[in-house]
Amino acid sequence: MANLTADSVVASAAIKSPADKFFNFFRYNMNEIINIFPEAFNGVELLEGEEGTVGCVKRWSYILGGIPMTATEKIEAIDEGAKSLTIAVVEGDLLLLYKSFQGILTVSEGLAEWTLVFEKATPDTPPPEDYVPLANTLCTLVDAFLLLN
């Protein structure tokens, strides 16, 4: 069997809202995504921990390519100085295709970037490129929301 290593894809979006405000939205108010982007995100449930802290676990219901999916995610790391948030998928549909899947949000003035780090379950597993436009749209909609609120 081939030795499969982690790979990554990056989604980035220009933002106009302050970097601190954008980062803190994803850290403390990410549940609002279901109101901001209901076409893609239709449910979220806090399973354990406290919002915005390492160890917080949530289950998301979302739609990708017309297919309903779920993902249980855990906040693994928060770096306030770098405005970085690391979230690992610990359960759900993504783990049918990937041995591991992690999203790392890094925010700077004018830019939000999601790095999706994954390890394929098989050599034939495609990279999760469908998540790039989803992440870009999410960042654009959150930015617009933050500029109005």
Side-chain angles (χ1 to χ4, degrees), residues 4-143:
L4 303 173
T5 58
D7 205 349
S8 65
V9 295
V10 176
S12 58
I15 59 171
K16 294 182 176 118
S17 54
D20 281 338
K21 189 174 182 181
F22 194 91
F23 172 72
N24 284 327
F25 172 88
F26 279 92
R27 181 171 179 186
Y28 296 110
N29 303 106
M30 200 182 321
N31 295 357
E32 285 297 311
I33 289 170
I34 62 173
N35 299 317
I36 295 169
F37 195 5
E39 300 82 8
F41 296 91
N42 49 30
V44 61
E45 178 185 3
L46 178 65
L47 300 178
E48 69 182 66
E50 187 178 324
E51 197 73 42
T53 63
V54 171
C56 175
V57 178
K58 295 180 186 179
R59 180 180 300 118
W60 289 89
S61 298
Y62 64 101
I63 297 169
L64 185 67
I67 300 166
M69 302 180 83
T70 63
T72 301
E73 65 175 32
K74 180 177 186 176
I75 296 178
E76 288 192 327
I78 298 168
D79 184 335
E80 290 186 33
K83 294 181 192 63
S84 175
L85 184 66
T86 303
I87 301 169
V89 175
V90 295
E91 213 174 82
D93 296 306
L94 273 171
L95 297 184
L96 298 174
L97 293 173
Y98 306 99
K99 287 183 182 180
S100 63
F101 195 94
Q102 196 177 55
I104 303 164
L105 173 66
T106 307
V107 184
S108 57
E109 292 304 327
L111 184 69
E113 188 171 271
W114 280 100
T115 302
L116 307 177
V117 181
F118 58 94
E119 186 179 351
K120 294 178 178 183
T122 71
D124 298 330
T125 302
E129 292 178 1
D130 290 349
Y131 285 86
V132 172
L134 179 71
N136 287 340
T137 300
L138 175 61
C139 288
T140 300
L141 292 173
V142 167
D143 188 45

